[in-house]
Amino acid sequence: GTIRGIVSGNWEEIGWKKLELAGLRPFFQLGAFANHGTTRTLLARKAIRQARKSGLISSQARISLIGDHENDVFAAKANGIQAVAVATGLSDTAKLAQADPHILLNDLSELVIETLL
């Protein structure tokens, strides 16, 4: 199966609670939060290392970062992983396109899951 992690600007306790209240907590096996690092790049790197160290993924696993901000695209590229930008946040499609993600979507309904595997 696939492993899903969260990279969030929330503090860990708040981030997990928000996911729990939304009914999404069971879908995530790990997370990196604001109290773990100061940038999205560092948080993504921490989540990747955590997943590898715990044996959730191999060193050859395909990893994608799905986000709604240009900084998510920059974080993915800085970590050598696939950047999937979704224009459902404050950044519109044009602004996300300038960051040059590997995949650009208007919303997650457009995501073809095979592009992540």
Side-chain angles (χ1 to χ4, degrees):
T2 60
I3 302 300
R4 290 164 305 276
I6 182 98
V7 174
S8 170
N10 287 294
W11 286 87
E12 184 169 12
E13 184 176 319
I14 294 167
W16 286 129
K17 187 63 173 179
K18 284 182 173 182
L19 287 170
E20 181 184 322
L21 292 172
L24 299 173
R25 176 63 183 95
F27 297 101
F28 295 93
Q29 290 78 31
L30 58 102
F33 298 90
N35 50 301
H36 301 145
T38 55
T39 67
R40 292 175 204 233
T41 298
L42 291 173
L43 294 178
R45 187 170 300 136
K46 179 176 176 49
I48 293 165
R49 287 182 180 157
Q50 182 183 353
R52 287 184 174 143
K53 185 177 180 182
S54 63
L56 292 171
I57 62 171
S58 71
S59 60
Q60 293 81 32
R62 180 161 193 179
I63 303 171
S64 300
L65 192 154
I66 302 170
D68 63 2
H69 192 276
E70 311 84 87
N71 287 341
D72 295 314
V73 175
F74 302 143
K77 289 181 169 188
N79 283 290
I81 61 175
Q82 180 171 249
V84 180
V86 185
T88 54
L90 296 176
S91 298
D92 62 20
T93 304
K95 196 166 195 174
L96 290 170
Q98 290 176 347
D100 194 30
H102 298 100
I103 299 171
L104 177 57
L105 309 169
N106 289 307
D107 61 56
L108 283 176
S109 70
E110 297 177 351
L111 181 64
V112 177
I113 197 68
E114 289 78 14
T115 62
L116 302 180
L117 305 176

